[in-house]
Structures are given as C-alpha cells and as structure tokens.
Amino acid sequence: MSTVRTAAVVLAAVSAFALSACGPSEDGAADTGSTTPPAGATASGTPSTPAAPPKAPSASSTPPAPSAPSASAPASGPSASATATDADYDVFPCSTYDVTFSAHLAEPTTSSYLLKITNKSGKACRALGHPVVTFGDLDGQATQRGEAPGIEDALRLGPGESAYAGLLGGAHDGTGKTVGSIALTMDTESDLEQKPLTASTPGLYVSPTANSVTPWVDNAEDALSL
C-alpha cells in the first residue's frame, strides 16, 4: 500500500512540473522557452545606439549665387551697328576762314582763270556748290556754270587738301570791262559772315553776258573743261 501511495505522489509531482513548464505566463502569453531581447538591445544584450535623425539644413547656409552670363552672350540694348555714327556727320561747309585762295590765268583769249582753295584748318570741311566770285569794283557776281552736287555729296577737304573751279571772264567783245582783281567767298548755305579772300587777276576781261564759274571739283583739269 505504501508503495502504491509513493508512486502516486511521484506521478502527481511530475504532472505538476509538466503543467508549470507549459502553462501561460503571468501576462497571459504562452512561454515558448526562448528569451526575446528587449527592443533597442543587440543579440548580446547590449543596448544598440539609435540612428541619428537627418541633419536639418543650417540656417546660415548661403544659397548658391546665380551663374554669370556667358561672355559670348550678346549684350542687350541697341546693336553696335545701330549706334555707329557716320564719320562725316560733323563735317561743316568750308568758309573763307578755313581756306587759302589763289587764281591763275589759264587762257588769255577767254580770260579763263583756275581758282584754287586749300584747307588750312586742322579739321575737314566741305566745299559746297559754286564759289561766289565778284569782279573788283563791278557790280554783281559770276554766274554759275554746271550743276553742283548736293550737300551730302559735296567735295570733302581734309586738312591740306585742295579744290578747284574754273572762272571764265568771256571773249573781248567790247561790251565788258577789264579788272585787276577778284574776291571770293564760300557757299555755306547759311548766313555765316565771311571775310572775302582776294586774288590778283591782271587783264581779266569780264563780259556781262558770258562770264561764269564752275562748281568746286577735286582736280584742275575738270575745273577748266566744264
């Protein structure tokens, strides 16, 4: 009887041990026999270092400066050709203050004289139209012969350059007079006051109906053949 009781007690003890090993834990979860490391801990039990959050941009960071325009990019505003100026835009008409004057006999029978002016100033000027020629103490002036170019196409004289005109007194027909000098002023297309330039013309016969003067040209040959 004692042996049976002892066996029953051992059996009861074994059953109780088995139930305690497989039963639920205090929080109601089944005990699987394995231990799960707490969050944040490594497998060896050492707490892991949490990853650093992304770094916010510094308040003092300076935004990148905009890139400079390429040197080859065309500049804004008017083009160079639009702002280019004509080199002759400030070339004014020649006056008697800008030139020297001389007259030379070319053909005695017709009292033909070659008139010459030379730019003595330090800047260019334009010899406009025809010279204005008066004959000594005679009234009136030489009539114009030939067509003169417009002001934009008028002869341009640089410093030291010359222009020529042909003066014709006319044949000795008994109707005219002989004078010993002439006076010249320049056509300036304005009321600019000028000091007349004079030249000696001994024996110049002036016919009241045949005298004339050509426009300014750039060579003596043309001046005497117009």
Side-chain angles (χ1 to χ4, degrees), residues 101-113:
F101 167 57
S102 63
H104 303 281
L105 181 63
E107 175 54 57
T109 58
T110 57
S111 291
S112 179
Y113 274 79

Side-chain angles (χ1 to χ4, degrees), residues 8-85:
V9 170
V10 171
L11 180 62
V14 171
S15 298
F17 176 79
L19 288 175
S20 65
C22 296
S25 62
E26 292 181 357
D27 56 0
D31 188 355
T32 61
S34 63
T35 304
T36 302
T42 63
S44 62
T46 304
S48 63
T49 303
K55 187 177 181 181
S58 171
S60 61
S61 298
T62 302
S67 60
S70 170
S72 61
S76 60
S79 65
S81 61
T83 57
T85 57

Side-chain angles (χ1 to χ4, degrees), residues 2-223:
S2 61
T3 301
V4 174
R5 182 175 295 180
T6 300
V9 170
V10 171
L11 180 62
V14 171
S15 298
F17 176 79
L19 288 175
S20 65
C22 296
S25 62
E26 292 181 357
D27 56 0
D31 188 355
T32 61
S34 63
T35 304
T36 302
T42 63
S44 62
T46 304
S48 63
T49 303
K55 187 177 181 181
S58 171
S60 61
S61 298
T62 302
S67 60
S70 170
S72 61
S76 60
S79 65
S81 61
T83 57
T85 57
D86 182 357
D88 291 340
Y89 80 99
D90 60 349
V91 177
F92 295 101
C94 302
S95 77
T96 55
Y97 295 105
D98 300 315
V99 300
T100 59
F101 167 57
S102 63
H104 303 281
L105 181 63
E107 175 54 57
T109 58
T110 57
S111 291
S112 179
Y113 274 79
L114 176 67
L115 311 182
K116 177 183 178 181
I117 57 171
T118 301
N119 184 357
K120 68 176 182 178
S121 72
K123 63 183 186 302
C125 65
R126 290 190 181 277
L128 300 187
H130 295 72
V132 180
V133 178
T134 55
F135 302 100
D137 55 0
L138 299 181
D139 293 335
Q141 64 188 48
T143 59
Q144 296 180 354
R145 180 171 83 251
E147 185 177 354
I151 185 169
E152 293 183 355
D153 299 317
L155 186 60
R156 182 184 188 277
L157 300 182
E161 294 182 337
S162 299
Y164 305 86
L167 174 66
L168 181 66
H172 293 253
D173 59 3
T175 63
K177 293 183 178 180
T178 300
V179 297
S181 67
I182 59 175
L184 173 141
T185 57
M186 301 292 294
D187 178 8
T188 62
E189 293 194 350
S190 70
D191 57 359
L192 175 68
E193 184 178 353
Q194 300 180 72
K195 178 181 179 180
L197 302 176
T198 60
S200 176
T201 55
L204 171 60
Y205 183 83
V206 181
S207 169
T209 59
N211 72 81
S212 61
V213 66
T214 70
W216 294 112
V217 294
D218 61 2
N219 65 89
E221 184 178 356
D222 286 348

